[in-house]
Amino acid sequence: MTDTKTNAMWGGRFAAGPDAIMEAINASIGFDQRLAKQDIDGSRAHAAMLAATGIVSDSDVEAIRKGLLTVLSEIEGGAFQFSTALEDIHMNVEARLKEIIGEPAGRLHTARSRNDQVATDFRLWVRDQCDAAIAGIEALMRALLAQAEAGADWVMPGFTHLQTAQPVTWGHHMMAYVEMLARDRGRFIDARARMNESPLGAAALAGTSFPIDRHMTASALGFDRPMANSLDAVSDRDFALEFLAAASICAMHLSRFAEELVIWSSAQFRFVRLSDRFTTGSSIMPQKKNPDAAELIRAKIGRIFGANVALMMVMKGLPLAYSKDMQEDKEQVFDAADNLMLALAAMDGMVRDMTANREALERAAGSGFSTATDLADWLVRILGLPFREAHHVTGSLVAMAEGAGVDLPDLTLAQMQSVHAGITDDVFAVLGVHNSVASRISYGGTAPAQVRAQIARWKEMLT
Ligand code: ARG
């Protein structure tokens, strides 16, 4: 006796339907319905190939094609009734197709398995996310370029250990993130190129005895070629892991910048003003303008890298080929992708809207003895001191200034000469922050001339 609740797709071998808990742990339709478009694209490509190779008749495939379009429009229009009993998107689509077109629907699954089907759908989905990430990164790079261009020669303190180190330019600081994001973009481009091979036609794991044309389905779906090993095709999720790894590194970069914006927008720094559009107020403290968007971007790395770790753990012990563990890939990647895109868009908006406080930056640039290295270099260049001795002399001058509660340029020539008799009036020129940054003309250095050259290079590349 066959229980009426056995699965319509494979119920033949079963006498009873699943326990409710089994259905709950097994079903993926709650989340994999996001793959509906990719699933139907994959089925259409597969069906067209079945007709072209004579495996299924043209008339059946035409009915399948039309039926699939109807299913897609039902899903996109919100009219589709997803069923947990039908487990996943693949069986939901096929069951509905059967309701619409009848018997020919049963021929669609010839020479195919859900194993190659899900691998194909998910690759298509992740590939789209690579494109979205690349576009989001490029938008943010443009926003940073605009900031860099506006303040290519504005001076600000450069930090190491978050202690004042040497003056740098605002443009230089913005362009540092452009470089980081460019590498992030490169990682998504590389991952996309590597994942762009089609698993479709690998079937359950071993390939098929039907005379399928995997090159045809691969090219219909925009893949460069079919994957060369059917076991590999259905059983690896390294493409998703590469996406998550690229996303993690990108989110880490966004998080660092977000942290700087949190610091810079504080009353103590006042380096930037964030717009009302990307901040929130406090219900009790009327003066507050909180950088919530930056804080949330800073936090996103947690869940994105978490997804990377989670999927790595899911995959690490699986024997070839497919195991149901792999169904756990989707929610992690969906969540990571959604949050990366959100973080990129929010950072883009914040950077576009943000106003740098040129005066505050310049004031801070000169404090904290930021030109001490320039003074030491001057002692080497002009007085011929060995650098170690110049470092020592400068250290004594810094201590003297600190004791007097002044900055280096405020010391008198006489005070300086009391530490080293050879010092002349000329030294004051190198103690200014503008001279300091202008002198750093080495390739990749902070001099406005260097920064402008980098801005021009990137503007050319991004248009
Ligand atoms: N929902 C499944 C997944 O996401 C589809 C593949 C099922 N394959 C199987 N042999 N049960 O992994």
Side-chain angles (χ1 to χ4, degrees), residues 11-143:
R13 194 207 183 290
F14 285 75
D19 189 273
I21 295 296
M22 177 58 197
E23 195 169 294
I25 195 174
N26 198 38
S28 54
I29 190 61
F31 47 87
D32 71 8
Q33 50 186 271
R34 284 187 77 167
L35 300 177
K37 172 80 169 66
Q38 289 74 15
D39 193 67
I40 289 171
D41 286 349
S43 286
R44 288 176 59 198
H46 183 67
M49 180 277 292
L50 292 175
T53 52
I55 298 170
V56 175
S57 73
D58 286 348
S59 59
D60 280 351
V61 166
E62 181 52 17
I64 290 169
R65 189 188 70 80
K66 283 200 186 128
L68 285 170
L69 289 176
T70 307
V71 176
L72 181 62
S73 71
E74 287 177 1
I75 293 174
E76 287 179 341
F80 195 94
Q81 288 291 317
F82 291 105
S83 148
T84 314
L86 288 165
E87 254 186 73
D88 57 25
I89 186 62
H90 324 295
M91 296 206 287
N92 270 266
V93 168
E94 196 185 317
R96 181 68 187 130
L97 183 67
K98 178 118 189 281
E99 284 172 8
I100 299 169
I101 68 167
E103 192 262 353
R107 300 189 187 279
L108 173 60
H109 213 53
T110 314
R112 183 177 81 169
S113 153
R114 278 188 296 155
N115 296 350
D116 59 338
Q117 201 178 348
V118 73
T120 304
D121 296 0
F122 200 33
R123 261 178 205 254
L124 290 172
W125 196 90
V126 177
R127 190 178 75 180
D128 282 351
Q129 296 302 308
C130 287
D131 291 338
I134 292 163
I137 290 170
E138 287 178 354
L140 177 53
M141 287 172 77
R142 287 197 190 90

Side-chain angles (χ1 to χ4, degrees), residues 159-431:
F159 300 96
T160 60
H161 317 265
L162 198 56
Q163 306 290 317
T164 301
Q166 294 172 352
V168 296
T169 49
W170 169 258
H172 196 51
H173 201 115
M174 294 297 109
M175 292 306 290
Y177 283 103
V178 168
E179 293 289 335
M180 292 178 236
L181 288 163
R183 289 192 297 276
D184 292 334
R185 172 173 166 268
R187 273 181 279 274
F188 284 111
I189 291 171
D190 291 350
R192 188 196 195 286
R194 222 175 343 269
M195 76 178 65
N196 202 30
E197 294 187 338
S198 175
L200 195 58
L205 76 167
T208 175
S209 57
F210 288 99
I212 60 170
D213 183 348
R214 293 191 60 206
H215 293 273
M216 181 180 168
T217 48
S219 89
L221 295 168
F223 288 117
D224 295 329
R225 63 192 78 83
M227 291 180 77
N229 183 302
S230 61
L231 292 169
D232 173 43
V234 294
S235 73
D236 207 355
R237 294 292 181 270
D238 59 350
F239 67 93
L241 286 165
E242 276 198 61
F243 173 80
L244 291 174
S248 296
I249 297 173
C250 182
M252 175 275 293
H253 286 147
L254 295 179
S255 184
R256 294 185 71 178
F257 189 32
E259 165 71 359
E260 296 202 311
L261 293 180
V262 170
I263 295 172
W264 291 355
S265 61
S266 69
Q268 288 68 27
F269 272 74
R270 295 201 311 112
F271 283 6
V272 296
R273 208 181 60 238
L274 300 174
S275 77
D276 291 355
R277 302 188 330 139
F278 287 95
T279 47
T280 64
S282 158
S283 52
I284 179 168
M285 297 165 283
Q287 86 284 10
K288 291 286 289 258
K289 199 166 157 187
N290 296 326
D292 293 33
E295 294 169 80
L296 288 163
I297 293 168
R298 184 173 61 187
K300 291 295 183 196
I301 176 69
R303 64 202 293 165
I304 294 173
F305 191 56
N308 193 359
V309 173
L311 184 55
M312 197 68 97
M313 292 303 109
V314 166
M315 296 304 297
K316 79 174 184 61
L318 298 185
L320 302 189
Y322 179 85
S323 295
K324 197 62 171 264
D325 311 51
M326 286 153 67
Q327 180 166 285
E328 289 284 316
D329 57 0
K330 287 167 216 55
E331 284 171 293
Q332 301 295 344
V333 176
F334 290 162
D335 185 76
D338 289 347
N339 282 286
L340 179 70
M341 304 315 153
L342 195 53
L344 282 167
M347 188 60 99
D348 178 41
M350 244 187 334
V351 172
R352 267 170 217 287
D353 275 17
M354 126 186 134
T355 323
N357 183 343
R358 186 179 182 173
E359 292 71 38
L361 290 169
E362 180 152 350
R363 223 175 301 121
S367 69
F369 314 107
S370 66
T371 53
T373 314
D374 299 86
L375 172 53
D377 287 350
W378 184 87
L379 294 169
V380 170
R381 213 170 28 243
I382 306 301
L383 302 188
L385 264 53
F387 183 77
R388 284 291 160 222
E389 193 185 334
H391 187 287
H392 194 82
V393 169
T394 306
S396 306
L397 288 167
V398 167
M400 177 185 278
E402 193 172 42
V406 298
D407 279 319
L408 274 177
D410 305 323
L411 292 175
T412 63
L413 183 59
Q415 283 175 308
M416 296 220 191
Q417 286 172 337
S418 74
V419 176
H420 194 286
I423 297 177
T424 68
D425 226 12
D426 291 348
V427 77
F428 289 99
V430 300
L431 298 181

